[in-house]
Amino acid sequence: MKNILNFPSPLVKLSSDFLFEKAVNLWMKREDLIHPQLSGNKWRKLEFNLEEMRRQRKKGILTFGGAYSNHIYATAAAGQLFDFSTIGIIRGEETLPLNPTLAFARQAGMQLEYLNRTTYRDKEKLTKIYQSRYPDYYLLPEGGTNIHAIPGSARTAAEIVEQLPLLPDYICLACGTGGTLAGIVAGLDGVSEVLGFSVLKGDFHQRDIRELLTNANIRDPENWSINTEYHFGGYARRTPELDKFIADFKKEYDIPLEWIYTGKLMYGVFDLIEKGVFPKGSNIVVIHTGGIR
Ligand SMILES: *Cc1c(COP(=O)(O)O)cnc(C)c1O
């Protein structure tokens, strides 16, 4: 089933006068090129969850997300491509016409249900309600983040180590739930420092990621941190400055970014390079986690 997906995803070196002047080496792991609909980290997190779903002999996946969720989109696409049923529990009220994410999900065969924000927040209650309502479905938390997401994301890290002729000093990626970062940390086991750039307000990541690693029985190498300086006001918030950065980046490197995750990541990384935070000669890998469509 995996032969329609592009593995290993390409690792490309970025070059520009700016990077040359700052004397840092920068590579980008193009997880956005894995598949047009199963792009990036969402496929990595799904892969071993699909195995778990089959092992439990469930007929499909029931999962949760906001109306613009990349995870909802990717799960619907995976259901269609690999032939299993999908149910998406969407936070908030139904709005018609459906936005492009939900229109795609429905067209891919996902059954959509809506849930008020208060109940949505109570994760334990959610599990109880939906497990008894849909006993044939494998429940996957929001963002696809759980212990089975880790081995897939760890593959990204292993591929980087295989593809790069030297060991990276830093690996940088955007963080929503932090599930992808947990997998990267697990896959590297201490060879590089991992920098997560939070796209949300708040500082729950440290705790959530530690808890996830513990639940997955993975030793925490503790060489990772979360930068909370580049969320631009919170999840899915954007500013003209961020939009301009994304447009300029496309012109200079011919690589598309979006404003929810990878735009904020690259803005942050370039700002830290500009400020001289990475020592001269540093080998830095950024992960393009996808989200382009
Ligand atoms: C979901 C998503 C993330 C965040 O991944 P987490 O594992 O939740 O931290 C980052 N980038 C893109 C493009 C995403 O869609």
Side-chain angles (χ1 to χ4, degrees), residues 2 7-9 29 31 34 43-45 47-48 149-163 180 183-188 287:
K2 278 182 251 163
F7 289 123
S9 68
K29 178 69 168 158
E31 298 276 273
I34 289 175
W43 166 252
R44 301 285 191 175
K45 294 200 279 185
E47 180 175 1
F48 289 88
I150 291 184
S153 298
R155 272 302 301 157
T156 305
E159 285 180 14
I160 292 170
V161 171
E162 283 161 23
Q163 289 168 312
T180 304
I184 298 294
V185 165
L188 286 168
I287 302 179

Side-chain angles (χ1 to χ4, degrees), residues 119-133:
T119 318
Y120 190 94
R121 244 175 268 137
D122 188 344
K123 306 289 173 201
E124 262 171 52
K125 194 166 157 193
L126 276 191
T127 309
K128 276 206 192 106
I129 296 173
Y130 288 101
Q131 199 62 89
S132 64
R133 195 177 295 169

Side-chain angles (χ1 to χ4, degrees), residues 255-268:
I255 295 173
L257 304 173
E258 39 66 54
W259 69 90
I260 300 178
Y261 295 102
T262 52
K264 291 179 181 180
L265 163 71
M266 292 313 294
Y267 187 102

